[in-house]
Amino acid sequence: MTTTRKAGILLATLLVPALLYLFLRFGTQNHYVLGRYLPKIDSTKGEPLMGKVKLRDGSEVIDTIYNHIPPFKLIDQDGKVIDQSVVKNKIYVASFFFTRCGTICPRISSQLTRVQDIFINNPNIIFLSHTVDPEHDQSAQLKAYAQKYNAIPGRWYFLTGSKTDIYNLAMHGYYLPTVDAGLKAGKPDETFIHSEKLVLVDKEGIVRGFYDGTDKEDVDRLVLEIRVLLDIYSKE
């Protein structure tokens, strides 16, 4: 094999990976795909329902039909009646907690404070924290709790109401486990079983993600996916 041919093979060996990298880096577009959760199921077939779905521009397409978070009417930390209008055309993060909880709830609330601070200048991001102990957690308790975690008025709502309404919303709206387990040795932290999950909901009321509110890395993923949603909406 001649020296010239050897040099040509060596050059090709070096150039091909470099050209491939440049093509993948600059010649294609990488899209972060953000899924939708909780499709409606056809009970007869056990498959997701398909049908006409109206897009934000008013057009219709045939697509999977997803569950939407149902309407609600609850009381916030200021004693005001709050309904779904506060999240109309907003991206929001929902969670469940109770003020007497001394285990996972402080960790979740601290992470939510961090997320709130990241998006402090964006009024399109809202937070809804629902108590699973509404008999104890009235507006006064929620107000003190909101102040403890530096909740911004009009951006982060701590919600109470009837136990039936809240538990139905948790289990049939967000599909999160919520159980009143009864007192165990008088320890309030063990009275209620609720999920540590944070739920990301888009402007259409469709769930776009579940995250472990006690795990910083998973909450970082929530922050990333909020930004993805904001980018999606900015291009519409």
Side-chain angles (χ1 to χ4, degrees):
M1 184 179 292
T2 65
T3 302
T4 302
R5 187 176 180 186
K6 287 181 179 179
I9 293 173
L10 178 61
L11 182 62
T13 302
L14 294 173
L15 278 177
V16 168
L19 291 173
L20 180 60
Y21 168 78
L22 289 172
F23 172 76
L24 292 175
R25 176 66 179 84
F26 299 106
T28 62
Q29 291 185 342
N30 294 318
H31 296 281
Y32 189 106
V33 178
L34 190 59
R36 291 178 170 85
Y37 288 75
L38 308 180
K40 291 188 175 181
I41 302 298
D42 184 337
S43 59
T44 61
K45 298 179 180 179
E47 299 175 352
L49 282 171
M50 303 291 289
K52 288 184 178 180
V53 177
K54 183 172 287 189
L55 303 179
R56 289 177 64 82
D57 62 6
S59 62
E60 291 184 339
V61 297
I62 301 298
D63 199 355
T64 303
I65 299 175
Y66 290 88
N67 284 290
H68 290 68
I69 301 302
F72 59 89
K73 185 175 288 187
L74 298 168
I75 308 296
D76 74 357
Q77 65 265 39
D78 293 317
K80 297 178 180 178
V81 176
I82 298 297
D83 61 22
Q84 64 276 5
S85 64
V86 298
V87 291
K88 184 178 181 180
N89 293 321
K90 307 285 186 182
I91 296 167
Y92 70 96
V93 179
S95 61
F96 290 82
F97 81 110
F98 60 106
T99 63
R100 295 188 290 175
C101 171
T103 52
I104 67 171
C105 298
R107 294 163 62 190
I108 293 171
S109 298
S110 294
Q111 287 297 324
L112 284 171
T113 298
R114 183 169 71 88
V115 179
Q116 175 191 242
D117 290 346
I118 290 171
F119 296 101
I120 194 167
N121 295 319
N122 194 324
N124 290 312
I125 310 299
I126 300 295
F127 302 86
L128 303 181
S129 294
H130 311 73
T131 178
V132 297
D133 184 13
E135 293 178 357
H136 175 271
D137 290 343
Q138 299 298 307
S139 293
Q141 286 76 25
L142 296 181
K143 182 79 170 180
Y145 196 87
Q147 292 172 342
K148 179 179 180 179
Y149 290 98
N150 300 314
I152 299 172
R155 295 284 301 281
W156 188 354
Y157 298 89
F158 290 82
L159 302 173
T160 188
S162 79
K163 182 178 291 186
T164 298
D165 288 346
I166 293 171
Y167 281 39
N168 281 339
L169 185 61
M171 293 185 287
H172 305 300
Y174 297 99
Y175 287 77
L176 296 178
T178 306
V179 179
D180 184 348
L183 287 171
K184 294 182 179 179
K187 297 179 180 179
D189 287 356
E190 299 179 11
T191 305
F192 303 94
I193 298 172
H194 64 95
S195 176
E196 79 286 357
K197 296 297 184 183
L198 305 178
V199 186
L200 176 61
V201 184
D202 68 18
K203 293 183 179 183
E204 284 70 49
I206 297 173
V207 172
R208 303 303 291 269
F210 293 93
Y211 315 84
D212 184 340
T214 66
D215 185 329
K216 182 182 180 299
E217 290 187 0
D218 215 25
V219 176
D220 287 341
R221 181 170 63 89
L222 165 64
V223 170
L224 169 63
E225 296 190 350
I226 289 174
R227 287 176 170 150
V228 170
L229 267 184
L230 288 170
D231 184 60
I232 291 171
Y233 287 123
S234 72
K235 295 175 180 177
E236 292 184 347

